[in-house]
Amino acid sequence: MHSPPVARTCPSLYSHDAVSWYTPADGGEAPELDRWCSGAGPVVIDSIPERGFGSVPAGDSLAVVVWNTAAGSGDLLGLIADVLGYDCDGEAAPAGSPHFVLFLQEAYRRSAAVPPTPEDAIVPPTVAERERSTPRLDVVQVARRCGLALAYVPSTRNGPEEHEGEREDKGNAILSTLPLSDFIAIEVPLVAQRRVSVGATLHEPAGDSLRIVSVHINTIPGPWRTLWTGATSRLRQALSIADALRQVEIQRADPEEREALAACYPYCDGTERPHYLISTLAGGDLNTASGGETALLHLWERFPDSPPFHGEVTSYGFPTDHVLFRRGPTAGSTRHRIAEGSYRRLDSKYSSDHYPLVAWLKLGS
């Protein structure tokens, strides 16, 4: 992985000053990735929630929802109301309502800021809208209607159509009741379509930090790319995300530690268990067909505190979606963990083609 992008016209064309980019090492894919990228619009960052949700007390829990919204077909407002107990149209967050973070994949945005289609851009077909009884709102509209912090990084256009001067793109997003900072975007090696994971950091009152990452990797590639990569495409994408997060942590460590960390991180103390500089929570659509898939096994190795495999079908007959977690350094009784028994699949797709996953992260006390 490279940081910043090397010899690329995109994503720098539509990037944001607050975002650090990590892009694939040059394997001959850069020109094609640029063509996928050039049809998408700019990154959207709203780092501070517009509503006064308050701070999260040390020792409290944070609700975590992971969901592929099928390019806006999913009823995000309905899920927030039903699962998290928050009415986005209310005047303020209700007293006692939980803090939450949403990890969204295939979030969509409709805006005049999405550029007209460049001549050489690769534009995938529009994702067909699924029937629903409520209005289809894009991810920026939902975040601002609900007063949430937002990080949205588009991966591709969502079809070539124009809608009264506006166009659509789609990608990954994080929505949060807590302020976000230290934004990162991780563009993975190309498989079927361009994919960009988005990350940010939450800072807690106790002084601990939590890195959060919304992840989306591809389904099975075409025959030519399968032959070219030796059927390891999804594994390459998973490892590129893990490598980028390693680079992030080393680059943001104290300067005197970086050289040593670059040689051994995360096994620097010689113990069997890896030690990380910051707790990291990742979630998303990994397009896995089983709990034994190689890409998922490698990610579990790098996220050793992940909840047990849920074993539930989340899309088209497969367990495609997952929550991944690893603890950072601990002091005394301070320790993040996924609350036992809290990790589950919801019973409704809320008009998407994926079931959402929910978990509760117990924050350090």
Side-chain angles (χ1 to χ4, degrees), residues 57-103:
D60 207 345
S61 296
L62 180 71
V64 177
V65 176
V66 172
W67 193 27
N68 183 317
T69 65
S73 289
D75 180 7
L76 189 50
L77 291 180
L79 180 144
I80 290 172
D82 292 350
V83 179
L84 302 170
Y86 175 44
D87 177 8
C88 288
D89 294 322
E91 293 184 1
S97 61
H99 279 280
F100 59 84
V101 176
L102 301 171
F103 297 73

Side-chain angles (χ1 to χ4, degrees), residues 188 217 233-243 295-296 299:
V188 298
I217 61 178
S233 293
R234 192 148 60 239
L235 175 60
R236 288 178 66 227
Q237 291 188 326
L239 293 179
S240 72
I241 293 169
D243 180 53
L296 184 56
L299 287 173

Side-chain angles (χ1 to χ4, degrees), residues 172-231:
N172 280 10
I174 293 171
L175 279 67
S176 171
T177 57
L178 294 168
L180 302 174
S181 64
D182 303 325
F183 301 95
I184 58 173
I186 305 170
E187 183 185 54
V188 298
L190 186 63
V191 174
Q193 291 190 14
R194 180 173 179 260
R195 294 280 189 252
V196 184
S197 296
V198 58
T201 302
L202 300 176
H203 298 282
E204 303 163 32
D208 296 329
S209 296
L210 174 68
R211 180 158 293 126
I212 53 178
V213 190
S214 178
V215 177
H216 193 187
I217 61 178
N218 282 120
T219 53
I220 298 172
W224 179 87
R225 197 171 295 277
T226 299
L227 290 172
W228 180 55
T229 62

Side-chain angles (χ1 to χ4, degrees), residues 6 11 33 81-82 116-117 131 134 147 150 152 176-177 185 198-199 223 226 230 252 255 282 299 327 355-356:
V6 176
L33 283 168
D82 292 350
T117 308
E131 290 187 11
T134 54
L150 167 68
Y152 169 65
S176 171
T177 57
V198 58
T226 299
R252 301 188 181 189
L299 287 173
R327 291 194 306 269
Y355 288 99

Side-chain angles (χ1 to χ4, degrees), residues 55 85 163 212 222 224 293:
S55 61
H163 311 269
I212 53 178
W224 179 87
E293 185 168 320

